[in-house]
Amino acid sequence: MNFLKHIQILSLVLFPACLTGMEQGSWVEQDKHGENISIEWHKVTDCKTLLELEEQLMPVSAEAFADEAIDLRNFLLDDKFQIKKEFIEIAEGLSHGDREELDAKIAISNTDRMSRVGYLRQMFLQKFEKTKAVLLIHSKHVLNSIYFVVTAKDKAGEVLGLAIFNINSDDCSDVWVDQLAVLPKAQGRGLARLLMFSILKLNPEIACIGLNTELWNVKAREMYTQAFKFTERRIKDFTVWFEHFVK
């Protein structure tokens, strides 16, 4: 999750007062097993509310993304735990911050799952604190986008997955998926699809959905292209961009 890259935190132009704040609602879907899943959504236009929602969902994100380090290890590293020759040039061309993050992911890829979850929670918290510090300075500004934070919950109210959508206020027909996450224990039930395409119910005018993921996230890439019919548009460094045209 490139939190600081994708969350367009501040705008130099204030929205009208009627657009600030938050709206929310829910509906019920069924998963592949016929179980009822509550799809709950929040429409957010202010920084503070968005950060609060993302912070509440941080444990789910950490659990959902913990196994990506294993995918990285299998895809990127050789038997000696070194970056494979075909990827060395890309790794050496990364910015200092991106290389530090890559090295940290490589380091935790050889640890147990609990350690990986702990690392991700710590990383997310650090990014939240940095973002909040900026927010305190510019507390009168609102987001330059409309965000939808969507969760999938079981009948007991447990959050099984989440999606965060970013719609630029200048063009409401395009949406960017900041995050899509489903807990490992809930995967295979069709929740990723329910979450991904929930935005079409929330905004029927959406014409194009965009997102990116890491090169080594092979399962996600196959899901986007094969199950969701996204088109792989380009690859830069270790990032892959996708688009899906709705109409």
Side-chain angles (χ1 to χ4, degrees):
M1 178 178 69
N2 294 328
F3 181 81
L4 295 178
K5 291 181 181 178
H6 294 153
I7 180 176
Q8 300 175 10
I9 304 170
L10 301 172
S11 169
L12 296 178
V13 180
L14 292 177
F15 277 64
C18 62
L19 292 181
T20 61
M22 180 177 68
E23 301 172 29
Q24 60 189 28
S26 66
W27 69 84
V28 176
E29 298 274 9
Q30 285 193 329
D31 66 10
K32 288 183 177 180
H33 301 153
E35 297 289 334
N36 285 345
I37 298 295
S38 177
I39 304 296
E40 301 183 6
W41 60 270
H42 296 79
K43 180 181 178 182
V44 186
T45 55
D46 70 282
C47 301
K48 183 174 183 293
T49 304
L50 180 62
L51 288 172
E52 288 174 350
L53 288 171
E54 290 219 17
E55 192 165 14
Q56 291 170 18
L57 294 170
M58 183 185 61
V60 179
S61 299
E63 286 285 348
F65 293 127
D67 292 335
E68 284 191 7
I70 304 301
D71 298 329
L72 178 151
R73 183 180 67 195
N74 295 336
F75 185 89
L76 200 64
L77 305 182
D78 60 23
D79 294 338
K80 296 181 180 179
F81 208 65
Q82 300 296 314
I83 296 176
K84 294 176 182 177
K85 291 181 179 180
E86 60 264 39
F87 299 122
I88 290 176
E89 185 176 350
I90 300 175
E92 290 178 346
L94 295 175
S95 68
H96 177 71
D98 287 345
R99 183 56 194 263
E100 277 192 339
E101 186 171 332
L102 177 64
D103 289 342
K105 288 179 178 179
I106 290 173
I108 67 162
S109 70
N110 206 32
T111 62
D112 59 47
R113 195 172 199 284
M114 186 178 296
S115 298
R116 298 196 301 273
V117 171
Y119 163 78
L120 288 174
R121 287 193 179 193
Q122 183 180 17
M123 182 187 73
F124 292 158
L125 275 174
Q126 289 173 349
K127 290 181 177 181
F128 277 123
E129 291 306 317
K130 288 180 181 178
T131 306
K132 286 178 180 178
V134 175
L135 178 59
L136 288 174
I137 299 173
H138 303 279
S139 58
K140 293 184 179 180
H141 292 84
V142 296
L143 291 162
N144 194 28
S145 302
I146 299 167
Y147 279 78
F148 284 94
V149 179
V150 184
T151 56
K153 295 183 179 181
D154 63 15
K155 61 184 179 182
E158 180 184 2
V159 177
L160 303 177
L162 66 103
I164 300 175
F165 301 97
N166 172 354
I167 303 176
N168 191 295
S169 58
D170 294 329
D171 185 3
C172 291
S173 65
D174 290 347
V175 62
W176 181 262
V177 184
D178 272 9
Q179 186 180 156
L180 177 68
V182 176
L183 291 177
K185 68 178 182 179
Q187 292 175 8
R189 296 169 57 180
L191 300 188
R193 176 182 289 277
L194 293 178
L195 287 163
M196 175 68 78
F197 294 108
S198 66
I199 192 61
L200 301 182
K201 287 191 175 183
L202 295 167
N203 186 352
E205 296 184 5
I206 292 295
C208 180
I209 304 172
L211 58 85
N212 65 22
T213 191
E214 286 81 8
L215 190 62
W216 50 79
N217 201 346
V218 177
K219 279 197 283 187
R221 291 171 63 186
E222 290 178 349
M223 178 177 69
Y224 298 146
T225 56
Q226 296 176 20
F228 295 173
K229 305 304 179 185
F230 276 62
T231 300
E232 193 171 288
R233 287 299 181 193
R234 68 187 179 104
I235 299 174
K236 182 181 179 183
D237 298 332
F238 293 117
T239 304
V240 188
W241 277 263
F242 298 84
E243 282 182 334
H244 175 74
F245 288 96
V246 180
K247 53 186 175 181

